[in-house]
Amino acid sequence: MFRRYTLAATMVFVGAALIFVGWLVEDSGYLADLLLQLGSTALLVVPVLYIERQLSQVRQKLTDLRAEMDSISRGYERARQTEAAGLSRTATLERKVAEARDQARHGRHTAAEVSELFRSGQDGERIAALGMMQGNHRLVDAGAIVAAISGSRSAFEQFQALRLAVSAWGELRPLDQDLVMSAVTMQMQPGGYIQPGTDRRRLAQQLQSLANAAGDRKEER
């Protein structure tokens, strides 16, 4: 990182010097134009270096987050592949979500990092991200909730997204609440996956109650 700062400072100094000399050159032709162009180019390199450094930091933080969530995501995927569907497997999966919730309470990672883990991750990483959002609402991403409800990769993932929506409802913006409810309503239709008699239906109905209460408060105003 120090080398990048040194290089950026050097480029600023060189660029400014070339432009200054270009202004001073009595010959306003080729030489002056060349110096001004070289100086301008050197200055333009600085924001490029800054952006590259920022992107490098983001990539490294995401790599670190993936490493921290590795045992959770792998454990989740292994349980789904090797254990028969039923209460025992569900309990195993719930333990993995609980581990992710505990990890999130340390407060090391940002909402952007956790959102990217969900967006670009495998099934286990998506579950880990939802668990982190449950454990620390500062990490909540409404887009992830909507995606996990409307395009879930499993019934368990959809359930965790609904659970997150219920627990974080009061912290979502009105627009995000509307988006969540649109996804829920679609999934409650005959062709959806939130059907009567399921735990997901119960959570969806809780969300409907929360949305209705919010609407009543708006009317009172």
Side-chain angles (χ1 to χ4, degrees), residues 4 23 29 60 65 69 74 92 103 153 164 166 169 183:
R4 289 197 183 97
W23 285 337
Q60 184 57 52
L65 177 57
M69 295 293 109
R74 287 180 181 272
T92 300
Q103 288 271 19
R153 296 184 181 178
L164 173 59
V166 170
W169 180 260

Side-chain angles (χ1 to χ4, degrees), residues 17-194:
L18 288 171
I19 291 174
F20 180 72
V21 173
W23 285 337
L24 294 180
V25 170
E26 294 182 2
D27 178 12
S28 60
Y30 174 77
L31 180 57
D33 289 343
L34 177 61
L35 290 171
L36 290 172
Q37 288 178 15
L38 289 174
S40 299
T41 301
L43 291 177
L44 288 173
V45 168
V46 176
V48 173
L49 290 173
Y50 174 78
I51 293 171
E52 187 276 331
R53 182 173 65 86
Q54 294 296 105
L55 291 174
S56 177
Q57 290 179 348
V58 169
R59 287 192 293 267
Q60 184 57 52
K61 289 179 179 179
L62 182 59
T63 298
D64 294 342
L65 177 57
R66 281 203 160 98
E68 290 179 26
M69 295 293 109
D70 185 66
S71 63
I72 295 173
S73 59
R74 287 180 181 272
Y76 170 85
E77 292 174 4
R78 183 168 53 251
R80 283 186 54 82
Q81 293 168 2
T82 61
E83 297 184 28
L87 294 178
S88 177
R89 187 178 77 171
T90 300
T92 300
L93 303 183
E94 286 286 1
R95 284 195 293 272
K96 294 303 173 185
V97 175
E99 289 177 30
R101 284 198 292 266
D102 290 339
Q103 288 271 19
R105 296 187 180 110
H106 297 160
R108 279 194 56 205
H109 296 285
T110 66
E113 293 162 20
V114 177
S115 297
E116 180 59 22
L117 179 67
F118 176 88
R119 189 194 66 79
S120 63
Q122 301 297 320
D123 292 1
E125 291 174 331
R126 286 165 64 98
I127 286 294
L130 291 174
M132 292 186 74
M133 293 178 196
Q134 291 175 9
N136 185 348
H137 288 171
R138 182 178 59 82
L139 305 175
V140 170
D141 173 20
I145 296 176
V146 171
I149 291 174
S150 60
S152 62
R153 296 184 181 178
S154 67
F156 187 81
E157 180 181 290
Q158 190 177 58
F159 175 84
Q160 296 302 328
L162 291 166
R163 172 189 278 178
L164 173 59
V166 170
S167 65
W169 180 260
E171 296 165 67
L172 296 176
R173 299 176 302 173
L175 175 60
D176 291 333
Q177 291 176 349
D178 291 342
L179 292 173
V180 169
M181 286 313 303
S182 293
V184 169
T185 301
M186 288 293 294
Q187 287 295 306
M188 293 178 75
Q189 299 302 312
Y193 291 102
I194 303 178

